[in-house]
Structures are given as C-alpha cells and as structure tokens.
Amino acid sequence: MSSQTLREARSFEEVAEKAIPAEEKPAFHLSPRVGWMNDPNGFSWYQGKFHLFYQYYPYATKWGPMHWGHAVTTDFLHWEHCPAALAPDELYDCDGCFSGSAAVLPDGRQLLMYTGVQCERSLYGERIETQTQCLAVGDGCNYEKYEGNPVLTGADLPEGSSIHDFRDPRLLQRQDGTYDCFVGSRPADGSGQILLYHSDDGFHWTFRNVVIKNRNRFGKMWECPDFFELDGKWVLLTSPQDMLPSGFEYHNGNGTLCLIGSYDEEKMVFEEETDHAVDYGIDFYAPQTVLTPDGRRVMIGWMQNWDTVLQHRTVKMSWYGQMSLPRELHVRDGRLFQWPVRELENYRCAGTEFHEESFSGKKSFPGVSGRMADFEVGIAPADGAEIYRSFSIQLAQNEEYHTTLSFHPSENILKIDRKYSGSRRAIIHQRRAQINADQGVLKLRIVLDRYSMEIFVNGGEQVLTAAIFTDLSADGIVFSASGDIKLHGMFYRLDMDRQA
Ligand code: FRU
C-alpha cells in the first residue's frame, strides 16, 4: 500500500514530465523524470532489466526531501521511467530517503536498503540529522517499507561513531545466500570509515567490523561506498567530502576515490595498495556499480558534484542533474580503467575518418560536428617535427560558445575549460589532469550527449567528465595546434533511434 506522499509524487511526475520536450533532455544519459536528481541508488539487475534508482526531488530543480526515482533499461542507453519508488513518509525517514542499494531475496522479491533521515532543529535552526538504515521490499515497481525499520541505528555503531553521518548502505549478496552490507560512517577522529554488517536473511543485521579507516587521509566523511572484486583485486569506491588537493590527483571539496587492494574476508579487513581519483573532470560523484549477467562490472555516477550545482541558476529548466554514461571497468596495474559500455557502439552512424599529416593553427573537418557523438582521436608530433607546444579541441562550439580540451606536452597536463559554455555562475569551470603521454603522443575517446562530455584518456586510464548547458546550436568541433601535429581520428554521430 503506498502512502499519500508517494501517491502525490507519482501523480505529480506523471503530469509534469509531459511538459518537458524530449529534445530538452539528454538523449542517452539518464536525467530525472522531472525536478532534481543526485546519486545513483540500487543499480541492479532484476527480472531481466537493469534497475537504477536515484536521489530525487520531483517538485523543484533543487535538493529537497529525498525520494527515490526509478528507471529501467536493457542497454544502459535507453531508459524508461518508472513511478517513484520511495517517498519520505515514515517518522524514521520523514526528512529523506537517502542513498542505498538493492539485492534479491530468496523468494524473488527485490530488497532495497536505504538511509532514513530524521531531523531536529538546534536552537539556532540548524538541521541535526539522525541517520539509520532501512529496508523496503518490492516487485520491481512497487515497494513496501519493512515494518521492522529501521534495521540499523546508532545502537549498532562502533563506539565513538556519529549517528549524524551513518549512511549509504551498499548490499552485497554472498555466494552462500547471506548478505553483507558496507556503510559510510564518521568515527571520533572526524574523518571517514567503512563499516561492515552481516545478515543471514536480509532483515536482521549485526555489526561485524570496521573494514577500513580513512584516518583523515582522503577528505573527511566517506559517502556512498561500493566494494567489489575485479580482475583479482578488491576495489573500494567512495566519495569523500572535504578533500584537500594532492598534486593533480585530488581536488578540493567533494571528490571521488578509488582504493585498490586485497580483502581478508575472514578478518574482514581491506588493505589498500593503490589510490587514485575516479574522475578528473568537473562533474562526477557518488558512483555505483552493477555486475551484468555477462560478467561485466559497470559503473554509473552522478554527472554533477555538490561543488558545482549552483550552475542550474544559469538556465530555466524543469529538470536538473544527469547520470554519467555507464562505464565498463577493469583493474590494470593498480588502476581502474573505464570504457563506455559497448552497447554505445550500436548507435554509431556511418563513420567519418579524418586525418592530417601535419598542421599548425586551426582545423575542422567536414562531417565532424554535432552534440551527440562518439569519436576517437590520436595526436602526435608531425613526422620529423619537434614536439608541439600545445594542442586543443573546442567542442559545442560556435561564435559565442565553446568548451575546450587543451593539452600541453611539456608538462603532460590535459585541461578541460567550460568557461565559455554559457554558465553565468562563478562555479568551477576548469580542471587539470596530469596524464601519461610520451613525447606528446596521446589518444582520446570523446562522448558527447546534448549536455555533457566525457573524455576517456589513453584507453580509459583516466576520465574527465563535465556537464554543460550550452545552447544546442553550438555544435562545432575545432582542432588547434601550436607547433606541427599529426592527427588521426574516427568520428561517429550517435543516433539513438537506430536499430541496434
Ligand atoms: C551524496 C549524498 C549521500 C546521501 C545523499 C543525499 O551525494 O550526500 O551521502 O545519501 O547524497 O541526497
């Protein structure tokens, strides 16, 4: 039985979505049915479809009492909206159904675990949250909250841990049919830690161990953990708040962190061996993964970041927030490699090959333009030439607008700059990444949807993601070089109506 709050959200979204023309939304990146979207939640394979829930506030294009939006897909690119799955309608979650994950019960029903938030106001009106972990059970469309909620509370926390920062449960179904759950938490040192809970049936949970402690190394509180085995290693993805920069690896504010190492399942301890950022662009946060039936580990992230959300004041919109392209993951040499899901290639139209043996200055190529595209480009110094000084590509370009990707081989810095993308807020518009490029030789794959760009560097070794709100008429792609370069590329427009 659904509550009044959920019924209202469902009827509101059904009517309100009709007022949004499809062309005003991204073509193949998931955006909210209406209103606001943040983190991906409950990314899972259930009854023949991939399900993706998301942090959702249907009534405005800003964050509000969190609901769970819901969409399904079979190819990660064509999404079908389903009615909102959860609303903040119980005392223990009356101030929000925060992020969480999904698993399957032995009887075939889907189990959702999420963070319930209940607030009090301090004397000064400050919001003081109590966060607990809660369950809902459903059939892939309708979900019933568990009568035993909340199933994990402050009483289940190790000593000194905060009841205000205890969130984002990540369920993991074990081979023997039991369940583990990894939750982000803030210990007494004020930073982050990941807690492990265990359950035989999915409903009764006990604390097992602190799997890893941040010890104030990577930011403070660790949000949205995901934990999985891949290519013989264990990978912990988390999104730390309050990061400090470290060279070009991490930037200030909300960041993403990938720790790769080993997991001692008996001792329940994760030992990290390497660490790096998940994304080096401007807009990426809170990723989650799913294991596909054909054995791929696929990650999706919120293609926005808390430090850049003010951007929405630049445009009048009835929706705000997008998910990244789902990306296939691999671990190689202590790094996480990301590559667009292979399904994207099915929607490439006839390719345009472009190359230039030697050029300096500006260059565009016939047939190489558009705002929905997938292309690869290789750059190197022209034969016999000295190493060039710089190289750049302007995307979503016309006389008024452009977003630029530029590369300086003397320091191996790749920079994304969306200052001229139409933004009217003083938010972050640029980010630099230190990349591997021997003697100015570099390979990029660039995926453009109407309002975003994702740049995969050197076979997915690093990725830079950015959302833009540039008018769709700006669809030029212009290459420039200072010094002689050799360029070779394959360009494809994307047509999502093409028969795969
Ligand atoms: C991360 C986050 C989560 C929380 C959710 C609230 O972006 O802060 O930790 O569950 O967003 O919407």
Side-chain angles (χ1 to χ4, degrees):
M1 251 201 315
S2 60
S3 67
Q4 175 76 8
T5 319
L6 184 62
R7 279 198 303 277
E8 274 171 13
R10 285 179 165 194
S11 35
F12 176 81
E13 60 183 5
E14 213 184 311
V15 175
E17 81 168 337
K18 296 201 175 85
I20 313 175
E23 322 74 68
E24 285 183 13
K25 285 188 144 187
F28 54 96
H29 288 74
L30 180 68
S31 55
R33 195 163 175 187
V34 57
W36 164 273
M37 159 192 274
N38 60 284
D39 314 355
N41 294 159
F43 198 17
S44 52
W45 171 255
Y46 180 65
Q47 289 181 345
K49 286 178 181 163
F50 295 104
H51 289 248
L52 186 68
F53 305 84
Y54 52 89
Q55 290 288 281
Y56 182 39
Y57 185 60
Y59 304 111
T61 49
K62 59 181 187 196
W63 193 84
M66 282 290 104
H67 295 56
W68 274 34
H70 185 191
V72 292
T73 181
T74 50
D75 67 359
F76 295 114
L77 302 165
H78 293 84
W79 296 92
E80 191 190 317
H81 284 292
C82 304
L86 302 177
D89 51 16
E90 295 285 346
L91 191 60
Y92 53 80
D93 64 14
C94 60
D95 289 291
C97 299
F98 276 17
S99 286
S101 54
V104 182
L105 291 168
D107 62 9
R109 290 177 303 159
Q110 195 177 31
L111 180 70
L112 306 181
M113 194 173 198
Y114 67 97
T115 299
V117 176
Q118 202 181 343
C119 286
E120 283 170 58
R121 294 279 160 188
S122 74
L123 273 180
Y124 307 101
E126 202 190 346
R127 191 178 148 107
I128 307 170
E129 294 182 2
T130 298
Q131 304 188 334
T132 57
Q133 314 317 316
C134 307
L135 299 171
V137 176
D139 60 1
C141 182
N142 296 305
Y143 296 85
E144 199 75 55
K145 288 182 184 167
Y146 175 52
E147 67 274 7
N149 279 343
V151 292
L152 288 171
T153 67
D156 303 291
L157 281 167
E159 217 189 305
S161 306
S162 164
I163 55 163
H164 312 300
D165 288 297
F166 176 37
R167 60 181 174 271
D168 309 336
R170 176 55 167 125
L171 288 166
L172 195 123
Q173 214 143 357
R174 297 180 60 97
Q175 300 243 314
D176 63 3
T178 65
Y179 303 86
D180 279 345
C181 179
F182 299 87
V183 191
S185 150
R186 192 192 289 269
D189 72 2
S191 72
Q193 63 186 0
I194 303 297
L195 307 178
L196 169 64
Y197 294 86
H198 184 79
S199 170
D200 285 340
D201 61 0
F203 293 93
H204 301 90
W205 291 88
T206 47
F207 172 71
R208 280 290 162 87
N209 206 17
V210 180
V211 173
I212 180 171
K213 290 189 166 144
N214 181 9
R215 295 197 181 88
N216 277 305
R217 294 168 305 152
F218 304 104
K220 294 282 181 182
M221 169 69 185
W222 281 0
E223 299 191 305
C224 301
D226 196 352
F227 192 48
F228 51 88
E229 204 174 356
L230 182 65
D231 299 326
K233 291 283 177 192
W234 278 83
V235 179
L236 175 70
L237 302 179
T238 184
S239 296
Q241 297 179 307
D242 308 311
M243 293 276 279
L244 291 174
S246 159
F248 284 96
E249 195 54 49
Y250 302 108
H251 56 74
N252 312 61
N254 286 277
T256 51
L257 173 67
C258 172
L259 298 175
I260 299 178
S262 61
Y263 182 47
D264 184 327
E265 291 194 53
E266 255 170 46
K267 291 196 185 125
M268 297 171 286
V269 171
F270 173 65
E271 293 277 355
E272 88 217 32
E273 289 157 16
T274 53
D275 68 88
H276 60 81
V278 182
D279 197 282
Y280 295 80
I282 305 172
D283 303 294
F284 194 81
Y285 199 67
Q288 269 204 356
T289 67
V290 67
L291 187 63
T292 64
D294 61 5
R296 291 177 284 163
R297 179 61 64 175
V298 172
M299 176 180 78
I300 197 164
W302 180 36
M303 198 157 50
Q304 204 66 67
N305 183 294
W306 291 113
D307 297 322
T308 61
V309 290
L310 276 176
Q311 169 101 358
H312 79 283
R313 280 186 51 197
T314 53
V315 265
K316 238 180 162 299
M317 271 187 165
S318 36
W319 62 274
Y320 186 76
Q322 306 175 58
M323 292 299 166
S324 73
L325 191 63
R327 304 168 182 176
E328 295 181 16
L329 300 183
H330 277 292
V331 172
R332 271 180 233 136
D333 303 327
R335 280 199 73 91
L336 190 71
F337 278 69
Q338 307 173 42
W339 202 238
V341 278
R342 60 195 65 170
E343 285 83 349
L344 188 67
E345 288 158 41
N346 296 335
Y347 301 96
R348 288 172 162 181
C349 301
T352 305
E353 200 174 344
F354 58 100
H355 51 86
E356 196 63 62
E357 282 310 307
S358 172
F359 88 89
S360 178
K362 279 196 174 181
K363 181 97 206 147
S364 49
F365 298 90
V368 178
S369 66
R371 289 285 286 273
M372 280 169 59
D374 177 7
F375 65 107
E376 289 186 59
V377 52
I379 302 113
D383 288 344
E386 275 184 21
I387 197 156
Y388 54 93
R389 285 177 296 283
S390 67
F391 160 77
S392 70
I393 314 180
Q394 291 192 346
L395 301 155
Q397 176 274 356
N398 64 9
E399 280 99 68
E400 206 173 340
Y401 303 119
H402 57 262
T403 293
T404 307
L405 203 61
S406 56
F407 178 64
H408 287 84
S410 57
E411 24 178 36
N412 276 354
I413 297 291
L414 181 66
K415 181 172 109 181
I416 186 158
D417 184 345
R418 61 161 177 203
K419 233 185 356 267
Y420 303 103
S421 66
S423 158
R424 289 177 195 269
R425 310 305 315 160
I427 54 161
I428 293 147
H429 291 116
Q430 299 182 350
R431 200 145 270 157
R432 290 175 169 79
Q434 181 109 53
I435 62 166
N436 289 317
D438 194 21
Q439 298 298 313
V441 179
L442 167 69
K443 260 194 182 167
L444 303 174
R445 178 170 174 191
I446 300 176
V447 178
L448 304 178
D449 194 351
R450 292 182 181 125
Y451 300 109
S452 63
M453 43 192 69
E454 291 166 274
I455 292 102
F456 298 81
V457 184
N458 293 329
E461 190 178 34
Q462 281 165 291
V463 187
L464 284 81
T465 301
I468 55 164
F469 295 92
T470 316
D471 191 273
L472 291 178
S473 59
D475 67 350
I477 297 178
V478 180
F479 301 86
S480 311
S482 163
D484 289 323
I485 67 159
K486 178 161 80 174
L487 188 107
H488 181 262
M490 231 7 231
F491 180 89
Y492 302 92
R493 287 233 167 114
L494 291 170
D495 174 2
M496 304 318 288
D497 295 327
R498 224 178 122 90
Q499 285 305 312

